[in-house]
Amino acid sequence: MNDVKVIEIKKSVFEDNDREADILRDELKRKGIYLLNLMSAPGSGKTTTLIQTINRLKDKIRIAVMEADIDSDVDAVKIQSATGVSSIQLHTGGMCHLDAGMTRQGIDAVVGKFDLIILENVGNLVCPAEFDTGAVRNAMILSVPEGDDKPLKYPLMFSVCDVVVINKIDVLPYFDFDLEKCKEYIRMRNPKAIVLPVCAKTGEGIDAFADWLLAEVRTWQNK
Amino acid sequence: MNDVKVIEIKKSVFEDNDREADILRDELKRKGIYLLNLMSAPGSGKTTTLIQTINRLKDKIRIAVMEADIDSDVDAVKIQSATGVSSIQLHTGGMCHLDAGMTRQGIDAVVGKFDLIILENVGNLVCPAEFDTGAVRNAMILSVPEGDDKPLKYPLMFSVCDVVVINKIDVLPYFDFDLEKCKEYIRMRNPKAIVLPVCAKTGEGIDAFADWLLAEVRTWQNK
């Protein structure tokens, strides 16, 4: 059976999201939980990237996934059946992003002890960038078919992300996507961003992302 | 020179967007202007599809384009230099959608007489679907690399669109995208939606979209 828990997220009641995010981060720190906020446009390959990454890490650390979606539960089912890790679906009821209060509702519904909880945010390059979820780090996926100019058009998203995974590099020959130009645009928005080209379908490049994430979790727990 | 007019859109002051949208639509009707609201995720090929479509129609009707974007003006410049039609850039200042009041600010800035004004909305499958812009019709583009499951994950967007253009069909061999399954999912959301597979890069299938749009404009002006 692939039944997953589905949580209907309610609108947050908090006025000061930044403060709520800091409180949540402090709580997670005390519990030794690293929260990663993964963002992207629709269809960039978040779920496939997560499956590849989790399968490389699940024997080393305890992982749970929260899949935010407006309505369906296809992603949570896919993650759970492909990796075996605990996965819950957060229904945002039409809301286009998650803030710290909404993220907390998801975390409260995750049952068990975990080192890493990954939040797959709503597929959207605009609104999710504006809200601190309480995560330790923000990462995003940009896929080759979306075009190398996206850092010019969605500046805030690229500014708030510590890691930019460039997915679907297997189709580079079929698209006008200049990887060097894209890296340059990303650096304009965020000079410190780590850029990792991958192909989630074949697994190429995923080791680098998994290694970065494992080192992050270990540092967070020992700091 | 490729200078385009850039308009900084302000937040709307109207509380009842549906009412404002109806008022705008009535005004456009009296002036004989057909407004099309074109939506999609980032990187689905809105601008390229528009260039191909406009080049098929610009000798038959008078066309202007409003390019909504958070920050840059790359799309408006591209449209104007590739088609020669009047194009203005609307900066939404971080806002993730356009409502009727914001659309009106753009229309007021378009100088000249036009049969068709196309609004290229912010690249986002969530928020733009929630706001009536005052357009006669909504159309959207879904590109093959985004995946055939998008109608399941972004139900409202597919419900409000009269036409779904499926772009980048040239890369169908390289992606797990089932065109028939996708059409079935679209029909679940909107049984009346017209589905048009195209390749904006080569122009394949664009005639059908251009023909539909031309017939729509003529009907609107003669009704």
Side-chain angles (χ1 to χ4, degrees):
Chain A
M1 284 295 289
N2 279 322
D3 283 349
V4 296
K5 194 175 188 178
V6 177
I7 311 296
E8 307 292 335
I9 297 287
K10 291 176 193 68
K11 214 169 168 178
S12 294
V13 292
F14 307 110
E15 277 188 15
D16 186 345
N17 182 61
D18 286 346
R19 191 180 131 78
E20 286 308 312
D22 285 339
I23 292 173
L24 178 57
R25 209 161 11 242
D26 286 348
E27 279 181 34
L28 292 172
K29 175 77 184 161
R30 282 196 298 277
K31 293 178 183 164
I33 299 169
Y34 183 100
L35 176 64
L36 178 74
N37 176 26
L38 183 62
M39 299 179 281
S40 83
S44 64
K46 284 194 293 303
T47 309
T48 311
T49 303
L50 279 188
I51 289 171
Q52 289 275 6
T53 307
I54 290 167
N55 280 335
R56 281 164 173 75
L57 294 177
K58 67 183 177 187
D59 296 333
K60 296 171 184 159
I61 48 176
R62 297 162 299 177
I63 306 172
V65 177
M66 305 191 295
E67 291 285 333
D69 223 326
I70 294 169
D71 198 28
S72 76
D73 64 0
V74 289
D75 289 341
V77 170
K78 210 188 282 179
I79 290 268
Q80 194 153 298
S81 64
T83 67
V85 308
S86 183
S87 173
I88 66 170
Q89 186 76 46
L90 311 182
H91 278 179
T92 64
M95 281 179 288
C96 52
H97 66 276
L98 289 181
D99 61 18
M102 295 155 82
T103 303
R104 176 188 291 275
Q105 293 171 46
I107 288 174
D108 287 347
V110 174
V111 178
K113 284 198 173 297
F114 297 99
D115 303 296
L116 168 65
I117 298 180
I118 301 170
L119 169 63
E120 186 179 321
N121 215 313
V122 181
N124 181 339
L125 287 188
V126 188
C127 322
E130 293 168 30
F131 296 88
D132 188 341
T133 57
V136 184
R137 297 278 183 205
N138 295 319
M140 71 161 292
I141 302 179
L142 171 69
S143 66
V144 165
E146 295 169 51
D148 52 29
D149 62 346
K150 290 300 157 291
L152 301 179
K153 299 173 82 174
Y154 301 90
L156 186 62
M157 176 57 76
F158 288 84
S159 303
V160 302
C161 282
D162 304 286
V163 170
V164 179
V165 174
I166 300 185
N167 191 21
K168 307 189 189 178
I169 55 167
D170 57 321
V171 295
L172 272 170
Y174 313 112
F175 290 91
D176 303 323
F177 187 100
D178 186 329
L179 194 56
E180 289 313 309
K181 212 196 299 180
C182 186
K183 286 181 181 172
E184 193 184 303
Y185 293 152
I186 293 168
R187 273 185 219 111
M188 278 166 57
R189 300 304 178 195
N190 183 355
K192 288 186 197 161
I194 299 167
V195 181
L196 300 174
V198 311
C199 172
K201 205 161 75 172
T202 64
E204 186 185 346
I206 296 287
D207 282 346
F209 182 56
D211 289 348
W212 170 80
L213 193 50
L214 183 60
E216 279 280 315
V217 173
R218 295 262 155 90
T219 306
W220 177 250
Q221 290 181 325
N222 296 322
K223 220 166 34 183
Chain B
M1 283 295 290
N2 278 323
D3 283 349
V4 296
K5 195 178 192 174
V6 177
I7 311 295
E8 307 292 336
I9 297 288
K10 289 175 194 70
K11 215 170 167 176
S12 293
V13 292
F14 307 110
E15 277 187 16
D16 187 345
N17 182 61
D18 286 347
R19 193 180 129 77
E20 286 308 313
D22 285 338
I23 294 172
L24 178 57
R25 209 161 12 241
D26 286 348
E27 278 182 33
L28 293 172
K29 175 78 184 157
R30 281 196 299 278
K31 292 179 183 164
I33 300 170
Y34 183 100
L35 176 64
L36 177 75
N37 177 26
L38 183 63
M39 299 179 281
S40 82
S44 65
K46 282 194 294 303
T47 309
T48 311
T49 302
L50 280 188
I51 289 170
Q52 289 275 7
T53 307
I54 291 167
N55 280 334
R56 281 162 173 77
L57 294 178
K58 66 184 179 187
D59 295 334
K60 296 170 185 160
I61 49 176
R62 299 160 298 177
I63 305 171
V65 177
M66 305 191 296
E67 292 286 333
D69 223 327
I70 294 169
D71 198 28
S72 76
D73 65 359
V74 287
D75 289 341
V77 169
K78 211 188 280 179
I79 291 268
Q80 193 152 300
S81 65
T83 67
V85 307
S86 182
S87 173
I88 67 170
Q89 185 77 45
L90 311 181
H91 278 179
T92 64
M95 282 179 287
C96 51
H97 66 275
L98 290 180
D99 61 18
M102 293 155 84
T103 304
R104 176 188 290 277
Q105 293 172 46
I107 288 174
D108 287 348
V110 173
V111 179
K113 282 194 174 299
F114 297 99
D115 303 296
L116 168 65
I117 299 181
I118 301 170
L119 168 63
E120 185 179 322
N121 214 312
V122 180
N124 182 340
L125 287 189
V126 189
C127 321
E130 293 168 29
F131 296 87
D132 188 342
T133 57
V136 183
R137 297 279 183 205
N138 295 319
M140 70 160 295
I141 302 178
L142 171 68
S143 65
V144 165
E146 293 168 53
D148 52 30
D149 62 346
K150 290 301 157 290
L152 301 180
K153 300 173 81 173
Y154 301 90
L156 186 63
M157 176 57 75
F158 288 84
S159 303
V160 302
C161 281
D162 304 286
V163 171
V164 179
V165 174
I166 299 186
N167 191 21
K168 307 191 189 177
I169 55 168
D170 57 321
V171 295
L172 271 170
Y174 313 113
F175 290 90
D176 304 324
F177 187 100
D178 185 329
L179 193 55
E180 289 313 309
K181 212 196 301 181
C182 187
K183 285 180 181 173
E184 192 184 305
Y185 294 152
I186 294 169
R187 273 184 219 113
M188 278 167 56
R189 300 306 178 196
N190 183 355
K192 290 187 195 159
I194 299 166
V195 181
L196 301 173
V198 311
C199 172
K201 205 161 74 172
T202 63
E204 186 185 346
I206 296 286
D207 282 346
F209 183 56
D211 289 349
W212 170 81
L213 193 49
L214 183 61
E216 278 281 314
V217 173
R218 295 263 155 88
T219 306
W220 177 251
Q221 290 181 325
N222 296 322
K223 217 162 40 177

